[in-house]
Amino acid sequence: MRHDRVLQVLWLGWLLLLPLIAEAEEGDLRVEVAAPYIEMHTGPGYVYPVYQVAERGEWVEVLSRRTDWFQVRSHRGHLGWVHVEEMQQTLTENGEPLGVGSFTLDDFRKRNWEFGFLGGDLDGAAVLSAYGGYAFNENLSAELSLSQAVGNYSSEYLVDVNLLSQPFPTWRYSPFFTLGSGMINTKPNTTLVQTEDRTDSTAHVGIGLRAYMTRRFFLRAEFKHYTVFTSRDDNEDFNQWKIGFGFFF
């Protein structure tokens, strides 16, 4: 049941972000290809095959836009989808470059700040997290995260500070490694367990994956192993996995 609530929260967050990701239709517009050619895909994504090209000097009609993809019609009547980076190599009827500013994978690589929301499992309890991070360079960043986990017998509140290493920052699907420390506060369910709240220090290591989506948005999944340094001189260990989405600027 608690895990169902996690999925519901993530789904609601995604629905709230959809208006920001989607864009309105462009309306009819004719542009001239200035590059040697532009590739026309069968759908709005690189997963769709290229089935036509428009060569230098050809005119195409822009019909609509979906995130970073434009639906166009060639002078031969072929319909296809062209990525924004290629549309930037076209000219309007006035001879000026088509203004289609957009965030790209290169902007994601050069980001300074990012924020996100994730949900998952912490040792059998549903967990929700929010985090923020600052990138010192393409490979190294620092993050602060706040999490709440709700279990059958207690609730846990975590504050984590960690360093994140991203060895392949130019990849659209980029793995990362993380190392950090923090605090965990455990509040027992007083209706079931008569114990005091506890606050202990933690350390963790983890791995994860960022997947750039479009514009300012990306997916993120991660797994962390925690060690809790308790006051009872009896350290505890638990695992946590989460998945969610983030945005950068």
Side-chain angles (χ1 to χ4, degrees):
M1 181 65 70
R2 292 187 175 89
H3 292 85
D4 290 341
R5 288 201 295 269
V6 170
L7 294 176
Q8 291 170 1
V9 170
L10 291 175
W11 178 245
L12 177 61
W14 175 246
L15 291 178
L16 293 174
L17 285 175
L18 279 178
L20 300 177
I21 299 176
E23 295 195 9
E25 292 191 352
E26 292 292 302
D28 292 350
L29 172 71
R30 293 178 71 246
V31 295
E32 181 183 10
V33 179
Y37 62 89
I38 59 175
E39 296 178 337
M40 298 171 60
H41 296 251
T42 57
Y46 285 114
V47 296
Y48 296 95
V50 176
Y51 86 111
Q52 292 287 337
V53 297
E55 299 179 347
R56 190 196 306 272
E58 290 189 38
W59 289 85
V60 297
E61 183 181 2
V62 181
L63 303 178
S64 64
R65 179 176 183 177
R66 185 178 301 175
T67 63
D68 287 341
W69 292 86
F70 290 77
Q71 187 182 42
V72 303
R73 179 189 292 119
S74 72
H75 73 282
R76 296 183 295 272
H78 298 298
L79 292 176
W81 292 84
V82 180
H83 191 261
V84 62
E85 292 182 355
E86 297 195 57
M87 291 299 295
Q88 290 171 340
Q89 303 179 62
T90 62
L91 303 175
T92 66
E93 293 179 336
N94 296 327
E96 299 179 354
L98 180 64
V100 288
S102 175
F103 292 93
T104 65
L105 179 60
D106 190 56
D107 295 305
F108 176 61
R109 178 175 60 85
K110 297 177 181 177
R111 70 193 180 282
N112 292 121
W113 295 93
E114 69 176 78
F115 297 90
F117 304 92
L118 302 96
D121 179 272
L122 187 155
D123 205 28
V127 61
L128 290 173
S129 299
Y131 81 94
Y134 176 78
F136 301 111
N137 53 50
E138 295 181 1
N139 301 101
L140 184 66
S141 58
E143 295 183 342
L144 171 67
S145 67
L146 305 174
S147 305
Q148 179 183 6
V150 180
N152 293 325
Y153 302 104
S154 64
S155 297
E156 283 78 28
Y157 301 86
L158 293 88
V159 179
D160 291 328
V161 178
N162 57 275
L163 291 175
L164 186 148
S165 174
Q166 186 171 293
F168 308 106
T170 60
W171 293 5
R172 179 176 291 268
Y173 302 96
S174 182
F176 62 82
F177 306 91
T178 182
L179 173 70
S181 62
M183 304 288 292
I184 181 170
N185 177 253
T186 303
K187 293 183 177 294
N189 186 337
T190 56
T191 61
L192 299 176
V193 182
Q194 299 299 322
T195 59
E196 297 181 355
D197 295 359
R198 299 198 331 260
T199 300
D200 300 299
S201 300
T202 65
H204 65 266
V205 295
I207 59 174
L209 180 73
R210 288 192 184 99
Y212 176 68
M213 296 168 54
T214 184
R215 299 182 66 186
R216 293 181 182 266
F217 302 93
F218 60 93
L219 293 176
R220 173 170 171 154
E222 63 184 38
F223 172 85
K224 291 181 179 179
H225 177 77
Y226 283 80
T227 297
V228 181
F229 305 104
T230 69
S231 57
R232 304 186 304 275
D233 294 327
D234 182 18
N235 296 341
E236 300 175 357
D237 295 280
F238 63 84
N239 297 322
Q240 178 191 83
W241 66 262
K242 293 181 293 187
I243 187 170
F245 50 83
F247 60 94
F248 67 92
F249 57 92

